[in-house]
Amino acid sequence: AVLRHLHSTHRRYTSHATMGNCHVTGPNEAMVISGGCCNKSAKRTIIGGYGCAWWFCTDVQRLSLNVMTLLPKCESVETKQGVALTVTGVAQVMVMAEDPMSEDGTAATGHKNAFLSKALEQFLGKSESEIRDTILQTLEGHLRAILGTLTVEEIYQDREKFASSVRDQAAPDVSKMGLEILSFVIKDVTDSVQYLDSLGKTATAEVVKQADIGLANAQRDSGIAEAQANQESQAVKFEADTNVANSQRQYDMTNAGFEQEVNTRKAEAALAYTLESSKLQQEIKRETVEVEVVRRRRAIDVEEQEVFRKEAELVATVNRPAEAESFQHETMAAAAQTKVVKAALADAEGIKAIGAAEAAAIQAIGEAEAAAMSARAAAYKDYGDAAVMSLILESLPKIAAEVAAPLANTKDIVIVSGQEDGVNGEVTKLLSQLPPTVEALTGIDMTKVVKNLAK
């Protein structure tokens, strides 16, 4: 299909007169078509494809993408030690047609085909020899710089590290040209002062010395090996004799071990019989004890059931009647208490009625006496002092009788006085105290009344 498409395109362009041409490029070459007509001034870069160009107004240029093998060489360059060396390397360089990709799948430079664009800008239109010369000068410059920082031993003995250092330092500058260093190795290292030969001679002398030492060590080892062989032969003989003796001893020990094992088995069998018999006796005793325990547990269960039965019987024959009788007594006591309370309440009502009657009687008596007293007071008021005095005098014998009533049971009265007049004085004294007594009892002053009557 591609071939048919190319063929049809070629036919279309060739059939429309002679004003253009079709250009084809392979995958190892970049073709740039620039210029054009009808306001088409953008350049096109084609790798492994084809493109059409107009005569007289477009330009077609090509850049090889093949690997270039370069041989950078630095002559008489002084190392860190001041030794002049000539170093020849081999570098494989090519134009980067595709940019290296970052982790997210995009171009690491930020836009597509950046390295190819740089290479086209710098090398398009130049010959391959000019491109080779530019790259070679860059590599030789970095090679000289690295040589000045290393010793001869470091360069000669570790060429891989030396080549890696040159490749790492030259890679940034080469990438700025749109190129990539595929590989760089050191091909040859020489000098004009035979410094490397001296290192080789020293190494050779060291090898010869080591060879002589090795030969002497071999001869010594040969004698030692011969002596060791004789010693080992005797040792083998002694070992064989020892093995025979050990075999005999081992046989005797094995036989003794067998006899000991047989005796041990017999003793273990006898002991096992005794132990088994003891275990059976203990098992019988244990079973007997368990039977006795079970029997006692059954007896205890029967006794517990009997206790429960007796408790139930006591409850039925004693506790229940006692509780019934106690309930009867409590009921009767409550009835008696209620009766007593009712009687007490009735007595209290009766006492209350009696008290009310007595209080009414006392009130009536008091009111009658008060009326009598009022009538007497009114009569006394009408009678005047003479009548009052008459009443008092009439009452004095009664008062005297009441006062002397406790003395009726007295047989003899003895008057003891310290005065000379004796009984007469005591009588006079008693009579003198009579008016104050009457006044205290009646509130009437007899002395004043008598004086008023005398007037």
Side-chain angles (χ1 to χ4, degrees), residues 14 34 57 69 77 83 114 119 127 154 173 179 230 257 290 296 333 339 352 367 407 421 428 446 449:
T14 55
S34 58
C57 60
T69 302
V77 179
V83 179
S127 64
E154 292 174 345
D173 291 340
L179 304 175
N230 294 329
E290 290 183 355
R296 291 186 179 182
K339 182 178 180 181
K352 183 177 180 180
E367 291 177 353
L407 299 177
D421 49 4
T428 303
M446 293 181 62
V449 172

mmCIF file of all heavy atoms in Angstrom, residues 14 34 57 69 77 83 114 119 127 154 173 179 230 257 290 296 333 339 352 367 407 421 428 446 449:
data_model
loop_
_atom_site.group_PDB
_atom_site.id
_atom_site.type_symbol
_atom_site.label_atom_id
_atom_site.label_comp_id
_atom_site.label_asym_id
_atom_site.label_seq_id
_atom_site.Cartn_x
_atom_site.Cartn_y
_atom_site.Cartn_z
ATOM 1 N N THR A 14 4.783 14.089 -11.375
ATOM 2 C CA THR A 14 5.480 14.089 -12.674
ATOM 3 C C THR A 14 4.535 14.389 -13.833
ATOM 4 O O THR A 14 4.963 14.819 -14.895
ATOM 5 C CB THR A 14 6.149 12.731 -12.911
ATOM 6 O OG1 THR A 14 5.149 11.704 -12.790
ATOM 7 C CG2 THR A 14 7.223 12.486 -11.880
ATOM 8 N N SER A 34 13.147 23.513 2.758
ATOM 9 C CA SER A 34 12.853 24.872 3.217
ATOM 10 C C SER A 34 12.526 25.756 2.029
ATOM 11 O O SER A 34 12.921 25.460 0.888
ATOM 12 C CB SER A 34 14.060 25.428 3.982
ATOM 13 O OG SER A 34 15.217 25.426 3.164
ATOM 14 N N CYS A 57 12.598 27.742 -5.993
ATOM 15 C CA CYS A 57 12.085 28.440 -4.785
ATOM 16 C C CYS A 57 12.139 27.599 -3.516
ATOM 17 O O CYS A 57 11.696 28.037 -2.466
ATOM 18 C CB CYS A 57 10.655 28.935 -5.029
ATOM 19 S SG CYS A 57 9.510 27.585 -5.417
ATOM 20 N N THR A 69 32.643 7.132 13.654
ATOM 21 C CA THR A 69 33.726 6.619 14.488
ATOM 22 C C THR A 69 34.889 7.602 14.412
ATOM 23 O O THR A 69 35.422 7.866 13.331
ATOM 24 C CB THR A 69 34.173 5.237 14.016
ATOM 25 O OG1 THR A 69 33.055 4.343 14.051
ATOM 26 C CG2 THR A 69 35.272 4.693 14.891
ATOM 27 N N VAL A 77 50.848 15.174 26.200
ATOM 28 C CA VAL A 77 50.081 15.920 27.203
ATOM 29 C C VAL A 77 50.584 15.515 28.585
ATOM 30 O O VAL A 77 50.664 14.315 28.911
ATOM 31 C CB VAL A 77 48.575 15.610 27.071
ATOM 32 C CG1 VAL A 77 47.796 16.365 28.135
ATOM 33 C CG2 VAL A 77 48.095 15.982 25.683
ATOM 34 N N VAL A 83 54.471 13.914 33.599
ATOM 35 C CA VAL A 83 54.927 12.959 32.600
ATOM 36 C C VAL A 83 54.103 13.164 31.336
ATOM 37 O O VAL A 83 52.863 13.152 31.383
ATOM 38 C CB VAL A 83 54.792 11.514 33.120
ATOM 39 C CG1 VAL A 83 55.262 10.534 32.045
ATOM 40 C CG2 VAL A 83 55.581 11.336 34.405
ATOM 41 N N ALA A 114 14.164 18.535 19.773
ATOM 42 C CA ALA A 114 15.028 19.679 20.075
ATOM 43 C C ALA A 114 16.464 19.384 19.694
ATOM 44 O O ALA A 114 17.168 20.242 19.128
ATOM 45 C CB ALA A 114 14.925 20.029 21.554
ATOM 46 N N ALA A 119 21.195 20.005 15.889
ATOM 47 C CA ALA A 119 22.154 19.428 14.947
ATOM 48 C C ALA A 119 21.963 19.998 13.545
ATOM 49 O O ALA A 119 22.945 20.288 12.824
ATOM 50 C CB ALA A 119 22.014 17.903 14.933
ATOM 51 N N SER A 127 30.042 19.401 5.292
ATOM 52 C CA SER A 127 30.415 18.055 4.881
ATOM 53 C C SER A 127 30.650 17.187 6.106
ATOM 54 O O SER A 127 30.792 17.681 7.229
ATOM 55 C CB SER A 127 31.675 18.108 4.007
ATOM 56 O OG SER A 127 32.774 18.613 4.780
ATOM 57 N N GLU A 154 47.012 5.909 37.354
ATOM 58 C CA GLU A 154 45.549 5.926 37.271
ATOM 59 C C GLU A 154 45.079 5.775 35.821
ATOM 60 O O GLU A 154 44.095 5.086 35.548
ATOM 61 C CB GLU A 154 45.002 7.225 37.862
ATOM 62 C CG GLU A 154 45.200 7.327 39.373
ATOM 63 C CD GLU A 154 44.774 8.674 39.917
ATOM 64 O OE1 GLU A 154 44.590 9.611 39.114
ATOM 65 O OE2 GLU A 154 44.642 8.793 41.142
ATOM 66 N N ASP A 173 28.633 19.113 26.348
ATOM 67 C CA ASP A 173 28.972 19.974 25.213
ATOM 68 C C ASP A 173 28.539 19.352 23.896
ATOM 69 O O ASP A 173 28.056 20.046 22.978
ATOM 70 C CB ASP A 173 30.482 20.220 25.190
ATOM 71 C CG ASP A 173 30.919 21.087 26.373
ATOM 72 O OD1 ASP A 173 30.050 21.778 26.948
ATOM 73 O OD2 ASP A 173 32.114 21.063 26.715
ATOM 74 N N LEU A 179 24.197 16.062 19.379
ATOM 75 C CA LEU A 179 24.862 14.788 19.180
ATOM 76 C C LEU A 179 24.849 13.981 20.474
ATOM 77 O O LEU A 179 24.638 14.518 21.563
ATOM 78 C CB LEU A 179 26.310 15.012 18.714
ATOM 79 C CG LEU A 179 26.480 15.863 17.449
ATOM 80 C CD1 LEU A 179 27.947 16.107 17.172
ATOM 81 C CD2 LEU A 179 25.819 15.193 16.241
ATOM 82 N N ASN A 230 56.098 -39.587 53.903
ATOM 83 C CA ASN A 230 56.613 -40.659 54.766
ATOM 84 C C ASN A 230 55.878 -40.684 56.100
ATOM 85 O O ASN A 230 55.515 -41.754 56.619
ATOM 86 C CB ASN A 230 58.108 -40.468 54.991
ATOM 87 C CG ASN A 230 58.914 -40.638 53.700
ATOM 88 O OD1 ASN A 230 58.510 -41.410 52.824
ATOM 89 N ND2 ASN A 230 60.032 -39.938 53.581
ATOM 90 N N GLY A 257 27.803 -54.387 75.837
ATOM 91 C CA GLY A 257 26.605 -53.560 75.785
ATOM 92 C C GLY A 257 25.362 -54.380 75.535
ATOM 93 O O GLY A 257 24.298 -54.118 76.123
ATOM 94 N N GLU A 290 -13.737 -44.958 96.006
ATOM 95 C CA GLU A 290 -14.785 -44.246 95.282
ATOM 96 C C GLU A 290 -16.157 -44.853 95.536
ATOM 97 O O GLU A 290 -17.147 -44.133 95.693
ATOM 98 C CB GLU A 290 -14.477 -44.284 93.784
ATOM 99 C CG GLU A 290 -13.279 -43.420 93.402
ATOM 100 C CD GLU A 290 -13.031 -43.426 91.903
ATOM 101 O OE1 GLU A 290 -13.745 -44.182 91.219
ATOM 102 O OE2 GLU A 290 -12.130 -42.697 91.445
ATOM 103 N N ARG A 296 -21.440 -43.283 100.852
ATOM 104 C CA ARG A 296 -21.639 -42.260 101.888
ATOM 105 C C ARG A 296 -22.400 -41.056 101.337
ATOM 106 O O ARG A 296 -23.211 -40.461 102.048
ATOM 107 C CB ARG A 296 -20.282 -41.820 102.431
ATOM 108 C CG ARG A 296 -19.582 -42.917 103.237
ATOM 109 C CD ARG A 296 -18.326 -42.406 103.884
ATOM 110 N NE ARG A 296 -17.672 -43.459 104.684
ATOM 111 C CZ ARG A 296 -16.554 -43.282 105.395
ATOM 112 N NH1 ARG A 296 -15.975 -42.082 105.377
ATOM 113 N NH2 ARG A 296 -16.028 -44.273 106.077
ATOM 114 N N ALA A 333 -56.637 -10.212 120.535
ATOM 115 C CA ALA A 333 -56.044 -9.057 121.222
ATOM 116 C C ALA A 333 -56.462 -7.769 120.532
ATOM 117 O O ALA A 333 -56.768 -6.768 121.178
ATOM 118 C CB ALA A 333 -54.524 -9.186 121.252
ATOM 119 N N LYS A 339 -62.230 -3.152 121.725
ATOM 120 C CA LYS A 339 -63.303 -3.041 122.711
ATOM 121 C C LYS A 339 -62.943 -2.071 123.819
ATOM 122 O O LYS A 339 -63.760 -1.235 124.231
ATOM 123 C CB LYS A 339 -63.599 -4.432 123.286
ATOM 124 C CG LYS A 339 -64.736 -4.460 124.288
ATOM 125 C CD LYS A 339 -64.983 -5.901 124.766
ATOM 126 C CE LYS A 339 -66.140 -5.939 125.798
ATOM 127 N NZ LYS A 339 -66.381 -7.314 126.286
ATOM 128 N N LYS A 352 -67.073 13.114 130.309
ATOM 129 C CA LYS A 352 -67.220 14.462 129.772
ATOM 130 C C LYS A 352 -68.613 15.007 130.077
ATOM 131 O O LYS A 352 -68.776 16.173 130.461
ATOM 132 C CB LYS A 352 -66.974 14.410 128.258
ATOM 133 C CG LYS A 352 -67.037 15.754 127.586
ATOM 134 C CD LYS A 352 -66.722 15.606 126.113
ATOM 135 C CE LYS A 352 -66.788 16.957 125.421
ATOM 136 N NZ LYS A 352 -66.496 16.856 123.973
ATOM 137 N N GLU A 367 -73.655 30.751 141.009
ATOM 138 C CA GLU A 367 -74.530 31.878 140.687
ATOM 139 C C GLU A 367 -75.518 32.123 141.820
ATOM 140 O O GLU A 367 -75.817 33.282 142.146
ATOM 141 C CB GLU A 367 -75.277 31.569 139.379
ATOM 142 C CG GLU A 367 -74.363 31.566 138.153
ATOM 143 C CD GLU A 367 -75.110 31.190 136.891
ATOM 144 O OE1 GLU A 367 -76.303 30.814 137.021
ATOM 145 O OE2 GLU A 367 -74.518 31.287 135.789
ATOM 146 N N LEU A 407 -58.558 21.183 169.204
ATOM 147 C CA LEU A 407 -58.086 21.054 170.591
ATOM 148 C C LEU A 407 -59.025 20.196 171.424
ATOM 149 O O LEU A 407 -58.805 20.018 172.626
ATOM 150 C CB LEU A 407 -57.998 22.454 171.236
ATOM 151 C CG LEU A 407 -57.013 23.439 170.552
ATOM 152 C CD1 LEU A 407 -57.083 24.806 171.247
ATOM 153 C CD2 LEU A 407 -55.608 22.889 170.613
ATOM 154 N N ASP A 421 -47.832 38.212 184.629
ATOM 155 C CA ASP A 421 -49.281 38.051 184.766
ATOM 156 C C ASP A 421 -49.720 36.680 184.339
ATOM 157 O O ASP A 421 -50.869 36.289 184.579
ATOM 158 C CB ASP A 421 -50.025 39.129 183.956
ATOM 159 C CG ASP A 421 -49.494 39.214 182.540
ATOM 160 O OD1 ASP A 421 -48.606 38.386 182.161
ATOM 161 O OD2 ASP A 421 -49.947 40.080 181.749
ATOM 162 N N THR A 428 -55.308 38.074 177.385
ATOM 163 C CA THR A 428 -55.411 39.463 176.929
ATOM 164 C C THR A 428 -54.735 39.629 175.567
ATOM 165 O O THR A 428 -55.233 40.318 174.688
ATOM 166 C CB THR A 428 -54.764 40.397 177.950
ATOM 167 O OG1 THR A 428 -55.394 40.210 179.229
ATOM 168 C CG2 THR A 428 -54.863 41.843 177.510
ATOM 169 N N MET A 446 -63.240 45.929 163.267
ATOM 170 C CA MET A 446 -64.113 45.940 164.445
ATOM 171 C C MET A 446 -63.847 47.153 165.305
ATOM 172 O O MET A 446 -64.778 47.721 165.880
ATOM 173 C CB MET A 446 -63.886 44.660 165.276
ATOM 174 C CG MET A 446 -64.343 43.388 164.582
ATOM 175 S SD MET A 446 -64.059 41.956 165.633
ATOM 176 C CE MET A 446 -65.106 42.361 167.044
ATOM 177 N N VAL A 449 -65.671 49.985 163.806
ATOM 178 C CA VAL A 449 -67.132 49.840 163.953
ATOM 179 C C VAL A 449 -67.556 50.167 165.381
ATOM 180 O O VAL A 449 -68.571 50.838 165.623
ATOM 181 C CB VAL A 449 -67.577 48.419 163.550
ATOM 182 C CG1 VAL A 449 -69.033 48.211 163.876
ATOM 183 C CG2 VAL A 449 -67.328 48.237 162.064
#
